[in-house]
Amino acid sequence: MPSAQLAVACKRKIILYHWLKKGPPQEVKEINLYDVPKAMVFHGQGYSDKIYIGFKGKYCQLHVSSEQVKDMLCTGRQLEATMLWVDKETVAICKDEWSILLAEDGKPYQDEFKSNIKWCDCPTALLYCKPYIAAVINKGIEVKTIQLVDPIQVIELPKVKLVAHDKRMFVASATHLWELKLNDLVYQVDKLISLKQFELAETLNKMSHERGGDHEHASRQRTVINTQAAYHEFINKRYEKSMTRFQKTNVEVANVIGLFPDLLSKKMQDKQVYPAEIVEARKYLTTKDIETGLEALEKYLVAKRFDLNKYEEEVENSKQTKIIIDTTLLKCYLQNKPKMVASLLRLKDNECHIVESERALKRARRMNDIIILYKSKGLHEKALTVLKQYANMQNTQKHELGGPEHTIKYLQDLGPEDIDLIKEYSKWVIEKHPDRCLDIFTDPSTVHSLPKEQVVQHLKSMNPDIALEYLERLIDIWNVTSQEIENSLIILYVEKVSSEWPAYQGMLAAGVVEPCMPGSEPGQLGTLRLRLTHFLERLQNYSPSMVIRSLGYEIPLYQELAILYGRQRECDKALMLYCHVLADRARLRSFVTNTTKLTIRYTTNY
């Protein structure tokens, strides 16, 4: 690829030359045209395949490789073609009072940073000195920029005909030659800031930095530009641009938030100081303005939050700033994106101010989110109190916190360190929803971590039947085989049987029922004895001696006692009960079959 190229117009043809890195220029080709070119410019820097050509009355685009000429547009009232290569992507061509900026594809730009330029008269020549573009008009020289619509300057010079520019700009008439010099960049930036032409001020500030100016001063100017531009964009209700500018400044977060009403506490809002025009603009914010502004503010706060987390150690009062950011984000989400509230509160590092957030959530009637707030801050007792309050309200099912489900789920998420809270706030669930309460203690995430003995004692004090069901679930579902749990289950069954025995004994005395085999008693007693016998025979880790002590001597539970003696290898006692007291041949055979050390005299006599 050549390092440079040259196009020479010679009557109705163009001769192309290429420069290689070494050696003289080489003629590449000649391209015949239908008319004499009046102006030409390559589109692009270095090698380009496109040449814009101005003929008398119109502009065309030439593709060098294919030699095709494509008509573009006419020159307008002024027949002479005027064009200029602006930068590596842009070419300007003139039609009447307009300079049309063409992109690489040959089409006009359609964005806010590069738009067509209107002059006060038809230009006869153009020159460019970044960031300014100047046109020769009847009055002299008009100066603009690509970004700004309004003229920067009009320099009155008589009958200017010729222009030349590189790093310096010259203009000439038939009798005079002038050099146009740029004012000091620092002075220009200050002047542009005062005129609120912030984009141009930013461009010149960057140029000053690149040209080796005072870097510290350039940095201060850049901060001033962004700060004043941010306020200016806010006043003009371009909130997204305003927040983008604020992101580049060192303006305190609270000062930015305070631009919008009802986000800061009154005490903090009163501390904020704003320019007079900002104070006036805040008075006329509409509901639509606030809605749009809060959307932009959200993005600003999220970006600030990210930066703060990244550079926390370098930021003064970072903790307080995070509290302000997160609390304001919560308020923004409540107004514009309610579904995002819970996600913010569930963040492990959320720093929402408890009192301010609680007040905002209550005002919005977001009770479910209040529970999430309390939970994220470790205020479990407060959360559980609210859940209990709403669960026990009339018409509770119509409320989002109605029913026991929310309390059960909350208690499931607590750990062994909160066992006292779990016991306290499970009471009302046990009392009012005994069919659901065990979900609290047998959830897969906590069933093994909770102190089981404490849970058993708690359930037993509330409802022994629920305690029995809990113990059976531990053994049957979760395979808990500790001696303490098996002892608790069996002893609890013994206590239940003991409580039913007096009624059965009364029926026997009254002749209502006949004596029957263990487990065949009427009512709940028979069922309880069957379950007790089942667990005595099945479980392996309980303490027989402890269970024997719990049986006492008041109730003749001989079958259970025989099983326990057998477990203790006190075969004589077990055989005596099977033979002489129970007279249960089937159980005796089973016992003999399963026992390796027997006393023969009992079996032979029987």
Side-chain angles (χ1 to χ4, degrees), residues 454-503:
Q454 290 192 49
V455 174
V456 170
Q457 293 305 315
H458 170 61
L459 294 175
K460 187 177 175 181
S461 68
M462 296 292 298
N463 188 328
D465 291 333
I466 294 175
L468 272 178
E469 187 179 349
Y470 169 71
L471 288 164
E472 289 186 21
R473 285 196 193 183
L474 288 181
I475 293 168
D476 293 336
I477 298 175
W478 298 107
N479 299 318
V480 177
T481 57
S482 69
Q483 187 178 75
E484 292 79 8
I485 293 301
E486 292 187 4
N487 285 344
S488 296
L489 175 65
I490 292 172
I491 290 171
L492 193 52
Y493 264 114
V494 170
E495 291 173 357
K496 290 284 290 181
V497 168
S498 299
S499 67
E500 294 289 332
W501 190 266

Side-chain angles (χ1 to χ4, degrees), residues 50 54 97 277:
K50 295 177 185 176
E97 295 89 359
E277 51 191 356

Side-chain angles (χ1 to χ4, degrees), residues 483-541:
Q483 187 178 75
E484 292 79 8
I485 293 301
E486 292 187 4
N487 285 344
S488 296
L489 175 65
I490 292 172
I491 290 171
L492 193 52
Y493 264 114
V494 170
E495 291 173 357
K496 290 284 290 181
V497 168
S498 299
S499 67
E500 294 289 332
W501 190 266
Y504 173 65
Q505 198 169 27
M507 288 190 289
L508 284 174
V512 176
V513 296
E514 294 290 331
C516 55
M517 295 294 291
S520 302
E521 296 88 352
Q524 192 178 11
L525 177 60
T527 304
L528 288 170
R529 289 197 73 180
L530 284 174
R531 294 293 292 167
L532 174 57
T533 302
H534 165 75
F535 284 114
L536 285 171
E537 292 177 332
R538 172 190 158 196
L539 301 181
Q540 301 297 319
N541 298 311

Side-chain angles (χ1 to χ4, degrees), residues 159-177:
K159 299 180 181 180
V160 175
K161 296 293 184 183
L162 300 173
V163 295
H165 67 96
D166 185 14
K167 293 182 179 179
R168 302 167 69 182
M169 295 190 296
F170 297 91
V171 295
S173 67
T175 57
H176 290 79
L177 175 66

Side-chain angles (χ1 to χ4, degrees), residues 197-410:
Q197 294 180 354
F198 301 109
E199 286 79 8
L200 183 54
E202 196 169 36
T203 300
L204 294 182
N205 175 265
K206 185 177 179 181
M207 287 174 58
S208 175
H209 179 78
E210 290 171 349
R211 292 180 183 180
D214 187 336
H215 291 259
E216 189 174 336
H217 184 76
S219 178
R220 288 197 299 270
Q221 273 193 330
R222 189 158 52 250
T223 300
V224 172
I225 292 168
N226 283 315
T227 302
Q228 294 200 22
Y231 285 127
H232 180 71
E233 298 290 4
F234 180 86
I235 291 168
N236 289 280
K237 301 187 177 184
R238 296 188 287 264
Y239 302 113
E240 188 145 354
K241 288 184 176 181
S242 175
M243 294 301 118
T244 301
R245 287 283 190 179
F246 275 124
Q247 186 65 33
K248 301 174 183 178
T249 70
N250 55 7
V251 175
E252 289 188 4
V253 173
N255 194 262
V256 178
I257 295 169
L259 293 169
F260 301 94
D262 303 325
L263 293 180
L264 295 176
S265 64
K266 186 178 185 307
K267 182 179 179 181
M268 187 170 289
Q269 184 69 58
D270 291 342
K271 292 180 180 178
Q272 307 310 314
V273 179
Y274 300 102
E277 51 191 356
I278 289 290
V279 175
E280 191 67 20
R282 291 181 72 245
K283 296 178 182 178
Y284 300 101
L285 290 174
T286 65
T287 303
K288 181 64 177 175
D289 293 336
I290 294 172
E291 183 179 333
T292 306
L294 290 185
E295 288 181 2
L297 181 63
E298 286 169 21
K299 297 176 183 177
Y300 164 80
L301 292 173
V302 169
K304 278 290 184 183
R305 193 179 195 279
F306 177 81
D307 291 343
L308 201 59
N309 286 335
K310 191 174 181 181
Y311 305 106
E312 187 169 0
E313 295 180 358
E314 303 173 18
V315 179
E316 189 176 354
N317 297 324
S318 60
K319 176 77 171 178
Q320 181 63 26
T321 304
K322 285 181 73 174
I323 291 173
I324 294 170
I325 289 174
D326 284 357
T327 307
T328 306
L329 264 177
L330 174 69
K331 294 178 180 180
C332 290
Y333 288 153
L334 282 172
Q335 293 194 50
N336 281 359
K337 298 176 182 175
K339 292 182 179 179
M340 292 293 293
V341 172
S343 298
L344 173 64
L345 293 174
R346 286 193 179 100
L347 290 175
K348 290 183 179 179
D349 63 341
N350 98 74
E351 295 287 353
C352 292
H353 189 275
I354 294 173
V355 176
E356 280 290 311
S357 301
E358 186 180 40
R359 186 182 296 124
L361 290 167
K362 284 183 177 178
R363 191 162 50 238
R365 298 183 179 180
R366 305 280 298 190
M367 297 310 300
N368 201 34
D369 292 325
I370 285 180
I371 299 303
I372 299 173
L373 171 68
Y374 291 155
K375 190 174 184 179
S376 70
K377 301 299 180 183
L379 302 174
H380 303 308
E381 188 166 8
K382 203 168 185 179
L384 289 164
T385 301
V386 173
L387 288 172
K388 180 180 178 181
Q389 173 190 343
Y390 278 93
N392 293 324
M393 287 173 58
Q394 291 183 345
N395 301 321
T396 184
Q397 297 301 327
K398 296 181 180 179
H399 195 276
E400 62 177 340
L401 298 181
E405 295 83 5
H406 298 283
T407 296
I408 291 172
K409 180 65 176 69
Y410 198 104

Side-chain angles (χ1 to χ4, degrees), residues 77-195:
R77 297 191 305 272
Q78 182 172 291
L79 297 179
E80 291 298 322
T82 302
M83 60 174 56
L84 175 71
W85 177 72
V86 178
D87 58 35
K88 62 181 180 180
E89 297 177 348
T90 310
V91 169
I93 60 176
C94 294
K95 178 181 179 181
D96 298 329
E97 295 89 359
W98 290 91
S99 286
I100 301 167
L101 301 179
L102 303 178
E104 194 170 2
D105 58 2
K107 295 179 180 179
Y109 280 98
Q110 299 292 333
D111 61 54
E112 59 182 313
F113 299 107
K114 288 185 179 180
S115 56
N116 297 337
I117 302 170
K118 187 175 183 181
W119 307 98
C120 60
D121 199 357
C122 295
T124 57
L126 296 174
L127 64 161
Y128 180 72
C129 183
K130 185 180 179 180
Y132 299 109
I133 184 168
V136 176
I137 56 176
N138 285 334
K139 292 182 180 179
I141 306 292
E142 183 177 1
V143 182
K144 286 193 172 189
T145 69
I146 292 174
Q147 291 87 2
L148 296 179
V149 175
D150 298 329
I152 300 295
Q153 190 177 10
V154 176
I155 305 169
E156 294 190 5
L157 295 172
K159 299 180 181 180
V160 175
K161 296 293 184 183
L162 300 173
V163 295
H165 67 96
D166 185 14
K167 293 182 179 179
R168 302 167 69 182
M169 295 190 296
F170 297 91
V171 295
S173 67
T175 57
H176 290 79
L177 175 66
W178 296 274
E179 181 182 1
L180 303 180
K181 289 186 176 181
L182 292 174
N183 280 319
D184 177 68
L185 290 178
V186 174
Y187 166 80
Q188 289 189 66
V189 170
D190 290 336
K191 183 69 175 177
L192 290 167
I193 291 173
S194 67
L195 296 173

